[in-house]
């Protein structure tokens, strides 16, 4: 049995939901998830839930293991027990970390296990307990109902507040109802986040261009959803923005991050005039299409993709870039390309790109910096 592999007293795990946690101190995504998992674990234990977690470490040395384990309130397989760690990895076919496999009480080898524990914790937190198939189906049903009933007002207001903050000296509070019928961008960001600070000048510029180009019957607005750590940082950061914001430490900010499953910032979620979600990839679309991405709908994106394909017909099949020694080949999603981070501007890309087939260097076509081709 799996519990015998863990070499702990059966009495410690009997009747409990057990999470087998594959992780390592040296891997940043593991450290990030670990903070959330500790919070969820402690909340569930304080509520009397029958849960235990067992760490299966992939740390490289005993000091790293001890330092990592010291932050954890749960059990662990000894660092030196390579046989058990190897057997657990093989039993659950672990291919990536962090990985969290949930076993139900009185688990047997042939029982169905919940392998996507990391996803469940990120998406639902303590609400996912006891991590059964039935509980997941219920949560998915509730999520679908929330999305179907989603409106701008129920997203952005609560019992204590029906307004958003503004930097307009004549009107510091803007009623949420005044945004109904507009396309809205929810901008999840924070001043401490370097990519956020880097993205904000571009977003301000694109925001202003979209506003300038809109027909009279349409409007676009952005709402800042802060992850700042203190009010001074929030005020300083928001002071640079020409749009609206949810007040600092308002509970709605966390509710929105959970509702839209925001795991990384900056993130720009686009809502349509009806308050329904259009896309969670607003940042990526702005990086790719700038102001032309508006209104971010599937129809608009299909048009832009066709336009990009037409423009690509006039591009050279290969090019050289000042930052790279090898020849770059023009590729598309259909010919070996795909989502990438441009090695020139450090922004996301998709569709057409110039790519080094030898080492993976990849840039947007617009970011190619031609140099004289070497003599052959």
């Amino acid at each position: 049995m799996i519990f015998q592999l863990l070499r702990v007293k059966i009495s410690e795990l009997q009747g409990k939901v057990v999470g087998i946690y594959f992780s390592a101190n040296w891997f940043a995504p593991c450290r990030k998830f670990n903070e959330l998992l500790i919070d969820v674990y402690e909340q569930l234990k304080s509520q009397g839930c029958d849960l235990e977690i067992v760490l299966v470490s992939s740390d490289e040395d005993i000091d790293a293991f001890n330092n990592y384990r010291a932050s954890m309130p749960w059990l662990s397989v000894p660092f030196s027990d390579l046989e058990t760690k190897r057997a657990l990895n093989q039993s659950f076919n672990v291919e990536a970390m962090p990985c969290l496999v949930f076993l139900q009480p009185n688990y047997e080898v042939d029982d169905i296990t919940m392998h996507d524990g990391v996803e469940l914790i990120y998406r639902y937190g303590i609400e996912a307990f006891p991590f059964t198939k039935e509980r997941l189906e219920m949560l998915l049903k509730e999520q679908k109902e929330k999305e179907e009933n989603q409106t701008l007002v129920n997203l952005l207001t609560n019992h204590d507040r029906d307004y958003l903050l503004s930097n307009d000296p004549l009107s510091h509070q803007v009623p949420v109802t005044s945004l109904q019928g507009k396309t809205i961008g929810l901008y999840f960001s924070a001043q401490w986040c370097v990519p956020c600070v880097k993205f904000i000048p571009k977003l301000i510029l694109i925001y202003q261009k979209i506003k300038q180009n809109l027909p009279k019957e349409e409007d676009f607005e952005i709402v800042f959803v802060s992850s700042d750590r203190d009010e001074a940082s929030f005020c300083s950061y928001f002071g640079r923005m020409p749009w609206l914001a949810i007040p600092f430490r308002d509970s709605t900010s966390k509710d929105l991050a959970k509702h839209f499953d925001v795991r990384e910032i900056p993130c720009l979620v686009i809502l349509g005039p009806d308050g329904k979600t259009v896309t969670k990839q607003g940042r990526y679309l702005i990086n790719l299409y700038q102001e032309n991405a508006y209104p971010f709908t599937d129809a608009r994106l299909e048009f832009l993709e066709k336009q990009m394909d037409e423009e690509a017909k006039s591009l050279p099949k290969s090019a050289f870039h000042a930052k790279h020694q090898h020849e770059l080949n023009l590729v598309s999603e259909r010919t070996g390309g795909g989502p990438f981070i441009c090695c020139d501007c450090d922004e996301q890309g998709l569709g057409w790109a110039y790519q080094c087939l030898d080492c993976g260097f990849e840039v947007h076509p617009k970011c190619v910096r031609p140099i004289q081709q070497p003599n052959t």
Side-chain angles (χ1 to χ4, degrees):
M1 288 182 62
I2 295 298
F3 291 165
Q4 290 174 331
L5 279 176
L6 293 175
R7 299 184 184 178
V8 298
K9 292 181 179 180
I10 296 298
S11 60
E12 293 185 43
L13 302 177
Q14 195 71 37
K16 294 183 179 180
V17 176
V18 177
I20 312 299
Y21 179 38
F22 301 86
S23 186
N25 187 47
W26 52 263
F27 193 39
C30 290
R31 296 195 303 271
K32 179 182 177 182
F33 176 69
N34 200 56
E35 295 177 2
L36 176 60
L37 184 59
I38 290 172
D39 181 57
V40 168
Y41 175 85
E42 290 180 341
Q43 287 189 64
L44 290 173
K45 295 291 279 187
S46 69
Q47 295 174 12
C49 297
D50 290 324
L51 170 70
E52 192 50 75
I53 292 176
V54 179
L55 170 68
V56 181
S57 167
S58 293
D59 284 305
E60 297 174 339
D61 58 68
I62 186 64
D63 290 337
F65 169 76
N66 286 335
N67 288 336
Y68 197 35
R69 179 172 168 267
S71 68
M72 302 176 181
W74 46 70
L75 306 173
S76 64
V77 175
F79 176 77
S80 59
D81 193 348
L82 300 180
E83 181 182 348
T84 295
K85 292 192 288 185
R86 188 181 301 111
L88 289 169
N89 274 274
Q90 291 175 350
S91 294
F92 298 112
N93 193 27
V94 176
E95 297 180 350
M97 296 185 300
C99 175
L100 181 59
V101 179
F102 281 109
L103 312 179
Q104 293 304 309
N106 306 314
Y107 168 81
E108 298 292 342
V109 174
D110 294 331
D111 290 349
I112 296 175
T113 58
M114 191 65 71
H115 281 74
D116 51 353
V118 172
E119 174 71 20
L120 292 176
I121 294 294
Y122 267 124
R123 192 74 186 90
Y124 301 109
I126 63 173
E127 294 180 10
F129 186 82
F131 309 104
T132 59
K133 179 182 178 182
E134 293 74 20
R135 181 57 180 162
L136 177 57
E137 290 175 349
M138 182 179 297
L139 290 170
L140 291 172
K141 181 180 178 182
E142 291 175 356
Q143 180 66 27
K144 184 177 179 180
E145 290 175 351
K146 285 182 181 179
E147 291 173 355
E148 291 174 348
N149 297 323
Q150 176 179 303
T151 68
L152 198 63
V153 171
N154 64 33
L155 282 176
L156 300 183
T157 64
N158 55 42
H159 294 300
D160 301 317
R161 179 189 51 76
D162 61 0
Y163 63 87
L164 299 169
L165 300 181
S166 168
N167 284 316
D168 186 341
L170 300 178
S171 179
H172 291 297
Q173 295 184 0
V174 174
V176 171
T177 53
S178 68
L179 303 183
Q180 290 178 310
K182 300 180 181 182
T183 297
I184 303 295
L186 301 179
Y187 181 48
F188 297 83
S189 185
Q191 190 176 47
W192 53 261
C193 169
V194 174
C196 295
V197 174
K198 183 176 179 180
F199 181 62
I200 194 73
K202 175 183 285 189
L203 184 57
I204 291 173
L205 179 62
I206 299 303
Y207 167 81
Q208 292 170 339
K209 287 184 177 181
I210 290 175
K211 299 277 280 187
Q212 291 168 3
N213 297 335
L214 282 178
K216 292 182 179 179
E217 67 273 12
E218 295 183 30
D219 202 357
F220 176 62
E221 193 53 77
I222 291 178
V223 177
F224 173 39
V225 185
S226 171
S227 296
D228 285 302
R229 293 165 178 159
D230 57 75
E231 190 164 10
S233 297
F234 167 81
C235 292
S236 172
Y237 194 38
F238 177 49
R240 301 171 53 189
M241 303 176 185
W243 45 70
L244 308 176
I246 293 172
F248 179 67
R249 282 187 178 163
D250 190 295
S251 60
T252 299
S253 295
K254 287 187 176 181
D255 292 341
L256 288 171
K258 181 178 178 182
H259 179 74
F260 292 109
D261 194 23
V262 175
R263 303 184 190 181
E264 303 286 345
I265 57 175
C267 174
L268 184 64
V269 176
I270 304 297
L271 308 177
D274 60 356
K276 299 295 189 293
T277 306
V278 174
T279 180
K280 299 177 185 179
Q281 303 299 322
R283 177 198 174 200
Y284 156 72
L285 295 174
I286 280 178
N287 283 330
L288 191 59
Y289 300 117
Q290 290 80 49
E291 67 273 16
N292 295 321
Y294 178 88
F296 307 92
T297 58
D298 289 341
R300 181 60 178 170
L301 300 184
E302 183 179 353
F303 169 79
L304 291 171
E305 287 170 5
K306 289 181 179 178
Q307 186 180 63
M308 186 179 290
D309 288 344
E310 286 298 313
E311 293 173 353
K313 292 178 181 179
S314 63
L315 294 174
K317 299 301 181 184
S318 63
F320 284 84
H321 190 282
K323 287 185 176 181
H324 195 67
Q325 60 181 335
H326 300 143
E327 184 179 30
L328 306 178
N329 293 279
L330 183 66
V331 297
S332 72
E333 215 173 350
R334 297 181 294 276
T335 59
F340 65 95
I341 300 296
C342 177
C343 294
D344 185 86
C345 69
D346 294 326
E347 294 291 356
Q348 295 166 297
L350 181 66
W352 293 92
Y354 280 101
Q355 180 188 83
C356 176
L357 301 181
D358 293 324
C359 56
F361 183 92
E362 200 162 7
V363 294
H364 297 118
K366 66 180 180 178
C367 291
V368 165
R369 298 183 186 178
I371 59 174
Q372 185 175 357
Q373 183 170 337
N375 294 324
T376 56

